[in-house]
Amino acid sequence: MLNEQKEMQATREKFQHLKNKKILVYGTGLTAKRLIRSLSGFQIHGIVDRVHFGGEVEGIPIVLWDEIGTVKIDTVIIASAPYNYRVIYERIINKCILYNITIYGANGQDLKEYFGWNCFGVDAGRYFRKNEHELKQLVSQYDAVSFDLFDTLIMRKTLEPADVFDIVEDRIEKKGIAINHFKIIRREAELESNGENIYKIYEILGKHTGLTKEQEQIVLETELECEKNVLMPRRKMIEILEYAKELGKKVSIISNMYLPEDILDNMLKEMHISGYDKIYVSCDYGVSKEGGLFEVYLQDRKNMNCLHIGDNFTADVQAPLRYGIDSYGIKSALDMVKISNFANILPWADTCNEKNLLGLAAAELFNDPFALYHTGGVVHIDSFEKAGKIFAAPLAVIYILELISYLKKNPMYQKVIFGARDEAVFLKLYNKLREKSERNRDLPEALYLLVSRKLCIRASMKTEDDIYRLKIHADLERPESALIDIMGMSEDKVTSYNKESCADIMDYYIAYKDRILKKSKIVRERYIEYLKECRLYLDQKYLFCDFISQGTVQYSLNRIFSQPMDGFFLCKYIGQNPFPIHSESIYTDPWQGGSILFEKHCFLETIFSSADPSVEDIDEGGMPVFSKEIRTEEEINHMCKEQQGIEMYFWDYYENLWVEGAEIKKKIPEALVYMCDEVEYTGECKDVRKMKLYNDLTNDYREILKE
């Protein structure tokens, strides 16, 4: 007893400097209990643990690690044996850096000082040398090859396995069954089942929640449905499995899992995965890999030279070795993110929607466990479809979901107008969403309107004050270009600007006032006829959707319409002289700098643009006149592939991963866009950095990425 008191006093002295800090204890074992007792009177906010999601230890509640972004925490103390410090530290370091949280071991050691920030160096360096050819050579040397299942042969599109339970809670609520904190209850029921199958888990869950047997069955079936919807094959590993089978190896699957063999077998068949002889599942045999499942497996593989392949270091690399089975470790998609240059994005994800947004991106980037081979951790983008999914699709998700939310709160609009050319993808997503979802059918009808800065400026000149806008967009080296290129005047009817005769550019333009206003009136009248053809009326209330803009088009349209439009922007650039328009914007970029989106808008425009060239005028017959197409057919095809990627990602996320009501921080899509300059472009994307964007208003080319 005396020794215990001395130890407690020593612990208090080690952490005395944290007496007034908010503390999280990481761990729920004996070390954690002793630490909590020793720090009685300290501000211990809660306990976090990788295994337990709910309950309490020594009267302190267990909280979800995801929640620390919403609560100010100063310090995490890792309450475990020192040899576990590093693995836990690696697990939490990025989020702790983001929120400026110090990390200590239970021994009082400052682990940030001890491990530093880049704690993945040696492990990552080894992993960057692993490749498919190496594994195939290894497989050829064995009689029998076994594979782990989850995160090895198949993977979830969620960031972490338990994120599926957030989706289940949302889906059962829509079926009339509300179970608050379902993730916590479901996880605790799983732990209480002590390794038994999902039916036993739900028997326990039913007792804890008071569900009827019928409700219990509905929730169970919903979980299985959600699980199937978020699963996908790890294609490269399926190729390795098929390769082993072609060589005549005995191929098995060995999994620590609560889903029995028959359920897993059906899931694999639905993903067209076959070629294995048998599945060994822990819940069917009553033992885990670490506790004897490999021994069961060896009974069927007597006198065979065996190799096991999997992602979990303890269960798939260390455990087989104890039974004389050689092992080969690969990394899950999440663990690959952590050793890549995308790792800095992970800490921003707190809510299930944010994690699933990143999970889907990670599933695309790291479906191949060898995607980081010889990369030094720098992600490679080798297809335009992938570029669309990673850099643009998350923006499309947040834009459309925010737009729908805005429209439901503001039901006064007759129509939603998506402007050419950057809104074509959003129109397609909006219309399909409105058509497919019963609860969205009351949203206003949408249409695609041919607009451009050039056309709208040309059509909206009514007064001398309007002419000032020509000066804003003029080429100061050649001011006459605004009259020729923006207003469409014949070059032979425009005299060159002469500083001696016109001291001010505005004086030069005012000299053309009558011709400018006459030309504008003609274009405006033609454009109004086009608007009527689109069933748009000047006195009705519309919402104009724009991409990344200062508001030039919306302002110009409002000079034509008698009822001003409201605007809804993805990103609004607010210059020194902002347009007097009413608009909502998800991101804003003040003239001195703000959102990264404006900096990357040239890159994004090459993805979101239409396959048609820009409209610049309306002819006498009321038909649009398009600019000459300066993009190559190949560039347009590349853009179409990117847009296919956007649509694939959007619908996968919306239908299978999105949880209604949960937040998506704007930072995450923005952070993914930022990474467009931080990757290597290979394969069909190898020439992306050479691409330029043509600005049809100023007639110049702009680089879309840093060289």
Side-chain angles (χ1 to χ4, degrees), residues 193-245:
S193 76
N194 197 28
E196 294 201 46
N197 63 31
I198 193 167
Y199 304 112
K200 180 63 177 178
I201 292 171
Y202 267 86
E203 183 183 317
I204 295 168
L205 187 144
K207 290 176 182 176
H208 288 328
T209 57
L211 293 176
T212 65
K213 286 297 179 184
E214 183 182 4
Q215 290 173 323
E216 194 179 299
Q217 185 64 25
I218 291 171
V219 180
L220 189 154
E221 289 173 358
T222 303
E223 178 178 328
L224 293 177
E225 180 185 9
C226 291
E227 188 76 77
K228 284 194 294 184
N229 289 340
V230 303
L231 286 175
M232 64 187 296
R234 287 194 92 173
R235 294 178 292 274
K236 187 62 66 179
M237 294 308 297
I238 300 303
E239 290 177 18
I240 300 291
L241 182 149
E242 291 170 348
Y243 174 76
K245 197 65 181 176

Side-chain angles (χ1 to χ4, degrees), residues 31 78 80-89 107 109 115 318:
T31 303
I78 298 176
S80 75
Y83 60 79
N84 288 324
Y85 287 172
R86 186 181 187 91
V87 67
I88 298 172
Y89 182 82
N107 60 4
Q109 190 171 38
F115 291 124
Q318 290 183 321

Side-chain angles (χ1 to χ4, degrees), residues 140-204:
S140 68
Q141 300 170 24
Y142 292 85
D143 304 315
V145 181
S146 59
F147 293 83
D148 170 51
L149 185 54
F150 287 87
D151 289 323
T152 299
L153 290 176
I154 62 177
M155 62 182 293
R156 298 177 178 91
K157 300 166 192 171
T158 57
L159 202 59
E160 297 179 286
D163 295 337
V164 176
F165 302 146
D166 292 308
I167 303 169
V168 175
E169 181 175 344
D170 177 68
R171 302 306 189 260
I172 60 174
E173 187 175 342
K174 287 178 170 60
K175 296 177 181 180
I177 302 174
I179 304 177
N180 292 330
H181 308 297
F182 176 80
K183 176 190 275 188
I184 296 173
I185 296 169
R186 168 63 179 76
R187 178 60 169 164
E188 292 307 306
E190 181 183 331
L191 293 173
E192 195 176 327
S193 76
N194 197 28
E196 294 201 46
N197 63 31
I198 193 167
Y199 304 112
K200 180 63 177 178
I201 292 171
Y202 267 86
E203 183 183 317
I204 295 168

Side-chain angles (χ1 to χ4, degrees), residues 308 310-321 325 327-330:
H308 180 72
D311 73 288
N312 186 287
F313 182 72
T314 302
D316 295 311
V317 178
Q318 290 183 321
L321 297 175
I325 300 171
S327 60
Y328 185 92
I330 61 168

Side-chain angles (χ1 to χ4, degrees), residues 96-110:
C96 289
I97 287 173
L98 176 66
Y99 292 112
N100 196 28
I101 298 170
T102 57
I103 308 173
Y104 288 87
N107 60 4
Q109 190 171 38
D110 184 331

Side-chain angles (χ1 to χ4, degrees), residues 285-325:
Y285 292 92
V287 287
S288 66
K289 293 176 188 175
E290 302 90 324
L293 190 57
F294 284 111
E295 190 173 4
V296 174
Y297 163 72
L298 285 175
Q299 291 174 7
D300 297 330
R301 298 289 178 265
K302 289 178 180 176
N303 301 319
M304 284 190 175
N305 193 16
C306 301
L307 172 71
H308 180 72
I309 303 165
D311 73 288
N312 186 287
F313 182 72
T314 302
D316 295 311
V317 178
Q318 290 183 321
L321 297 175
R322 295 202 299 270
Y323 298 94
I325 300 171

